Amino acid sequence: MYETIRYEVKGQVAWLTLNRPDQLNAFTEQMNTEVTKALKQAGADPNVRCVVITGAGRAFCAGEDLSGVTEEMDHGDVLRSRYAPMMKTLHHLEKPVVAAVNGAAAGAGMSLALACDFRLLSEKASFAPAFIHVGLVPDAGHLYYLPRLVGRAKALELAVLGDKISAEQAASLGLATKVIPLSDWEEEVKQFAERLSAMPTKAIGLIKRLLRESEETTFDRYLEREAECQRIAGMTADHREGVKAFFEKRKPLFQGN
């Protein structure tokens, strides 16, 4: 079904693995298309309650495969036709998405990680906002997410200087949810994803929606949207289960609906 990625559902977690390890999982047109398709597949599957994106081999994603770049290429058209559909699908996915950054995440690979809701970093992982080194501006939504995570001044510094960011530096900047030792990597990522998959999925989706809208609307309009989302959340089976579990003094068993 897929050639440049692997897509597996284990329990209630969809694992999307960028699978061009010999090319450090660099993006091609086919990979952009397949990632977009897999994200839509995960979003439409009611059994999937969390998505993990990671890379095969020693890298997370090296960004665009520069071997396919030519002098005649219109980079704007590439972004509009290949990257925008992928990033929009990820941005609007109303399920928790975890970037399991197992190694280097450079260029658009870093953008992909920034767009995820959580970033788990291996102690050997790194970020490289490397666009400036080839005379380009950060793309694939990079400068949409970065200043929201680290602030405008730091985002400008990272984008213009283009220095490599270690896992430890990423954590200090607020770019990492957690840095994980190599010895615990697979188990801790699995546990984190399973924890998210056991939470009230619709409420998480609504939280993501409100956070997006809070950045683009007035306070009065936000309060109305908050009330609308709370109405939706209040009608879910997970809300009823949460209240029931509270009074019964037990751990709730959420079903994602």
Side-chain angles (χ1 to χ4, degrees), residues 126-241:
S126 62
F127 288 131
F131 299 94
I132 195 70
H133 300 308
V134 290
L136 294 176
V137 301
D139 60 26
H142 195 104
L143 291 181
Y144 181 89
Y145 294 105
L146 188 61
R148 287 166 167 80
L149 293 168
V150 303
R152 184 182 182 278
K154 181 58 71 171
L156 179 66
E157 175 188 327
L158 297 176
V160 171
L161 298 181
D163 292 336
K164 181 179 177 180
I165 305 165
S166 70
E168 292 73 17
Q169 289 172 321
S172 69
L173 289 169
L175 293 176
T177 306
K178 187 176 185 180
V179 176
I180 301 173
L182 285 175
S183 58
D184 303 324
W185 173 247
E186 291 186 6
E187 184 59 28
E188 287 211 28
V189 172
K190 178 175 177 288
Q191 289 179 1
F192 189 85
E194 289 178 346
R195 175 185 176 186
L196 289 172
S197 73
M199 297 180 75
T201 313
K202 287 190 180 297
I204 293 174
L206 291 169
I207 288 170
K208 292 177 62 171
R209 187 187 306 180
L210 284 172
L211 281 169
R212 287 197 305 268
E213 294 184 9
S214 72
E215 298 165 345
E216 302 164 356
T217 191
T218 64
F219 182 64
D220 288 355
R221 176 57 183 158
Y222 170 79
L223 289 178
E224 176 56 30
R225 292 293 295 127
E226 178 185 79
E228 292 170 1
C229 288
Q230 195 71 302
R231 176 181 179 275
I232 295 169
M235 296 172 67
T236 63
D238 280 346
H239 169 61
R240 293 192 294 273
E241 165 62 11

Side-chain angles (χ1 to χ4, degrees), residues 35-37 39-40 84-93:
V35 170
T36 304
K37 183 177 180 180
L39 290 172
K40 289 180 178 179
M86 180 180 75
M87 300 308 293
K88 286 179 181 179
T89 302
L90 176 57
H91 185 74
H92 293 288
L93 185 59

